[in-house]
Amino acid sequence: MRPSPLAEVHEELGATLTEFAGWQLPVRFTSDLQEHHAVRSAAGLFDLSHMSQFVLTGPQVAGALDRALTASHSTMTRGQAAYSLLLADDGGTLDDLIVYRLMDQQWVIIGNAANWVTVARELTARMPRSGAALDDLTASYSLIAIQGPASAAILSELDLGELATTMPYYSIATGRVPTPGGKIVALIARTGYTGEDGFELMVGAGQAVAVWRAIEQAGKDHGLVPAGLACRDTLRLEAGMPLYGHELTRETTPLEAGLGRFVALEKTPFVGSKALQDNPPRQRLIALAGQGRRAARAGYRVLIEGEERGFVTSGALSPTLGHPIALAYVDLPAPDQGTEVEIDVRGTLQPYTVVKRPFYRRPASS
């Protein structure tokens, strides 16, 4: 397993570690519930150093990204971020990504750890032989996220107040994080995977510990807590965000996952676009809310009027809402919102209702 650049911090904090996509990462520091509620009410600090990180540079990158990914990237402005997907020729999903345009000819792409090799291979193959250069920074850079309604206030404690309060959601800028050893340059993006306001900081791996400790110190009076992978999963599920390997797989398309708004079929043809146009979806991802305390888990059967029609991709007892929630694929035609279905939870059929995604949406003021 690859250790995180923040391994010494995790050890000091007594984190419970787990293997994830070849990395050793904290699954929790205290308790899943405490960390989850802290992110919803104040802020959580996450180690995301396992995420794959790439920089693309050159005059041909913009057009190449339009042909390589599902979204329209050549129209992005400097400092803008966009969610996008990397597809196979048959329309299956290879990964979902965040694409940042740093400068006219420089881009950052963040992908999932489990798909690091695939993304590196496919981006390399889809770039022109000249006018585009790809650098894989995964091993040399670290990614640290601060998520929650107090995030901007905590960055303000680090003399980054103007940046924190003026950056629009889904944007990126360069900032300097003050530490006892001097100011550290970081790429700071207003993005996240929790459904809350927040920021993700990309810094050199050797500087990650200093930046983490600076943020930790700045957040002491704002309720900031270190947070692990377990609460990140329940947070993203409440926000209705897909997880690769669950809602997104090589066998599913973004149209089936309800991500059509990130698929620009009207732009330059991209890898997988013809397959999406020629092959209509066979299934649809739906959101389900249950009763009681028994949560559905990935793989559980979904029944509609007594007939098995699909399967759960992710499920949990929602810490914020207090009842079970789940995402599931069902065969078309999919049931409408308000329809009651059943999920086979370890041999017992539990009632669930089709609801609108996301399950949780942060208050507009935050």
Side-chain angles (χ1 to χ4, degrees), residues 54-336:
F54 304 93
V55 171
L56 285 162
T57 308
Q60 304 301 318
V61 171
L65 286 175
D66 277 352
R67 294 185 292 272
L69 306 177
T70 61
S72 182
H73 297 292
S74 60
T75 58
M76 291 172 60
T77 58
R78 295 175 64 174
Q80 187 177 3
Y83 180 81
S84 196
L85 297 112
L86 179 76
L87 305 185
D89 285 328
D90 63 2
T93 308
L94 299 177
D95 203 11
D96 60 336
L97 314 162
I98 304 293
V99 179
Y100 304 90
R101 189 167 196 167
L102 290 183
M103 294 182 285
D104 290 344
Q105 297 184 14
Q106 189 173 53
W107 308 71
V108 168
I109 295 181
I110 305 296
N112 287 291
N115 300 324
W116 173 28
V117 173
T118 299
V119 173
R121 182 189 67 237
E122 292 298 324
L123 286 178
T124 299
R126 298 179 191 190
M127 290 297 114
R129 293 189 177 183
S130 63
L134 182 144
D135 291 316
D136 185 346
L137 303 181
T138 306
S140 56
Y141 273 76
S142 180
L143 197 64
I144 298 171
I146 174 173
Q147 298 283 298
S151 298
I154 293 169
L155 286 191
S156 295
E157 298 280 355
L158 292 167
D159 296 328
L160 293 167
E162 183 177 354
L163 183 147
T165 55
T166 59
M167 284 183 69
Y169 189 52
Y170 259 65
S171 67
I172 191 168
T174 300
R176 289 170 173 77
V177 180
T179 71
K183 291 190 174 183
I184 294 174
V185 176
L187 289 177
I188 303 175
R190 198 163 201 165
T191 49
Y193 192 53
T194 63
E196 296 294 340
D197 187 21
F199 302 84
E200 296 176 319
L201 288 76
M202 185 175 175
V203 300
Q207 300 170 314
V209 170
V211 171
W212 174 285
R213 287 177 171 155
I215 297 173
E216 195 174 37
Q217 180 65 32
K220 280 190 172 180
D221 295 332
H222 295 276
L224 177 70
V225 303
L229 293 177
C231 82
R232 190 167 181 254
D233 190 49
T234 52
L235 290 161
R236 71 90 192 167
L237 178 57
E238 289 182 347
M241 296 178 172
L243 173 64
Y244 196 88
H246 290 251
E247 290 70 46
L248 294 173
T249 69
R250 180 64 180 77
E251 288 71 43
T252 58
T253 74
L255 301 184
E256 292 174 330
L259 300 173
R261 65 190 182 279
F262 304 110
V263 180
L265 288 172
E266 73 286 352
K267 71 173 175 107
T268 302
F270 55 87
V271 176
S273 60
K274 188 176 187 304
L276 294 182
Q277 292 171 321
D278 293 346
N279 303 296
R282 299 162 299 168
Q283 58 185 352
R284 180 179 299 167
L285 189 69
I286 60 172
L288 298 167
Q291 304 169 12
R293 308 288 292 178
R294 297 191 68 185
R297 302 297 181 186
Y300 287 9
R301 299 185 304 143
V302 177
L303 294 87
I304 303 175
E305 297 181 348
E307 179 185 358
E308 184 175 345
R309 289 279 304 282
F311 60 94
V312 173
T313 55
S314 296
L317 179 62
S318 166
T320 303
L321 305 174
H323 59 73
I325 59 175
L327 295 173
Y329 273 113
V330 294
D331 298 331
L332 294 178
D336 297 327

